[in-house]
């Protein structure tokens, strides 16, 4: 929103662009509960305050035209008004629940603001350092995957993928006999990150480590590389 204000020549305080003297409802909601099903503004507000949904009429017209400028001005103004009110109420609610962590709130907003500015300015990547990171992360992915495969094979599993929930369930609950502490909405034993962190076992620690390094690789190596543009 701040970048849009700048784009249209509206006044923006420098401190806001640094993530200071400002509260972001989305950031606060994620800090308060990182496992929420949705952080979309309307659903976030409905979770904490009984109110009437307001986005559907303008969203329907936007889907038809692909241009918010084609939505009637009165409808756009009403949506903006309610968006602003909703964003304030969400931020107010979560800030009260986090107010004893003011230093962390400030730090989180500063990081987010820095990343937002980088999306505008861009960043220069040292490819030699990047290649070293790629090698190190790839090695960690292969190492943890290999260790997990060895555990699976030693317990009678001919095939195992550390990203396959069914394989993980079979290994943890059928082969290793770990007690089920959580179940999914469909009644299956849970293998999500929260559940794994609450099971004290070397294999669950390996699974968490694999998830961490695989995410690093998919996001920062496979995901970023296609976005690079040579410079200099």
């Amino acid at each position: 929103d701040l970048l849009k204000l700048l784009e249209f020549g509206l006044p923006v305080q420098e401190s806001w662009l640094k993530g200071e003297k400002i509260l972001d409802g989305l950031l606060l909601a994620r800090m308060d509960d990182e496992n929420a099903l949705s952080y979309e503004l309307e659903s976030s507000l409905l979770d904490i305050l009984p109110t009437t949904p307001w986005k559907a009429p303008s969203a329907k017209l936007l889907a038809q035209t692909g241009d918010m400028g084609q939505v009637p001005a009165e409808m756009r103004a009403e949506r903006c008004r309610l968006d602003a009110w909703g964003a304030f109420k969400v931020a107010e609610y979560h800030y009260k629940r986090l107010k004893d962590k003011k230093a962390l709130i400030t730090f989180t907003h500063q990081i987010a603001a820095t990343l937002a500015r980088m999306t505008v300015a861009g960043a220069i990547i040292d490819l030699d350092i990047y290649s070293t990171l790629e090698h190190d992360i790839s090695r960690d992915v292969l190492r943890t995957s290999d260790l997990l495969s060895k555990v699976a094979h030693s317990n009678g599993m001919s095939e195992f993928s550390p990203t396959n929930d069914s394989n993980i369930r079979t290994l943890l609950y059928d082969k290793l006999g770990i007690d089920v502490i959580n179940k999914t909405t469909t009644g299956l034993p849970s293998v999500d990150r929260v559940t794994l962190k609450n099971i004290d076992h070397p294999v669950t620690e390996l699974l968490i480590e694999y998830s961490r390094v695989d995410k690093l690789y998919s996001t920062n190596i496979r995901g970023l590389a296609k976005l690079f543009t040579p410079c200099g």
Side-chain angles (χ1 to χ4, degrees), residues 176-232:
L176 298 178
I178 293 173
D179 292 336
V180 176
I181 61 173
N182 288 317
K183 289 188 175 182
T184 67
T185 55
T186 58
L188 294 173
S190 294
V191 291
D192 61 7
R193 186 178 181 85
V194 174
T195 300
L196 295 180
K197 290 181 71 174
N198 283 287
I199 298 175
D200 185 16
H201 194 282
V203 174
T204 57
E205 292 177 3
L206 265 179
L207 285 165
I208 292 170
E209 175 63 8
Y210 175 83
S211 177
R212 185 185 71 84
V213 295
D214 184 57
K215 179 68 173 178
L216 284 174
Y217 186 85
S218 63
T219 301
N220 297 308
I221 305 302
R222 188 168 60 244
L224 275 186
K226 61 185 179 183
L227 301 177
F228 289 167
T229 300
C231 64

Side-chain angles (χ1 to χ4, degrees), residues 9 21 24 39-40 42 68 73 125 158 163 166 173 193 209:
K21 299 180 180 179
D24 185 307
Y39 297 99
E40 196 275 329
E42 190 175 71
M68 184 60 85
I125 305 296
S158 58
T163 60
S166 180
Y173 303 117
R193 186 178 181 85
E209 175 63 8

